[in-house]
Amino acid sequence: MTRLDRRRQCVAIALSCLAGYVDAIAFIASGGYFVSFMSGNSTRLGVAVAGGEIIGIVSLLIVAFVSGVAAATLVGGQRAGPRGGVMLLVVVLV
């Protein structure tokens, strides 16, 4: 387990609180869709598919989230070396 100094702990706590706040406000404003809680969107997608409903918004949110993660990994993941991009592509395609 990694131990963080006090300053990094405070930054981690502040970012977690900010993410929760943004997700809560977006959930209320969007009528019940999650912007950062992807397991909730995946559950909603499964329920919509089972019920034969239109799944456009939830699918779009999931695709946007995965695209953002992929872009951040490609931009910030240069430390992974040349295999990092290949592994990301495999994960996205599967």
Side-chain angles (χ1 to χ4, degrees):
M1 185 169 156
T2 303
R3 300 263 180 202
L4 300 176
D5 59 30
R6 189 74 156 157
R7 182 172 179 235
R8 290 185 182 188
Q9 286 178 355
C10 290
V11 170
I13 291 169
L15 289 175
S16 297
C17 291
L18 178 63
Y21 176 77
V22 167
D23 200 31
I25 295 298
F27 181 82
I28 293 168
S30 69
Y33 294 103
F34 300 98
V35 296
S36 67
F37 184 57
M38 288 301 111
S39 59
N41 285 335
S42 300
T43 303
R44 289 191 65 143
L45 180 63
V47 169
V49 168
E53 298 176 21
I54 297 174
I55 56 173
I57 297 287
V58 177
S59 297
L60 178 65
L61 288 170
I62 293 171
V63 167
F65 181 81
V66 171
S67 298
V69 170
T73 301
L74 291 175
V75 169
Q78 299 302 324
R79 289 178 277 170
R83 291 183 292 177
V86 173
M87 185 55 123
L88 177 64
L89 182 62
V90 169
V91 170
V92 169
L93 292 177
V94 172

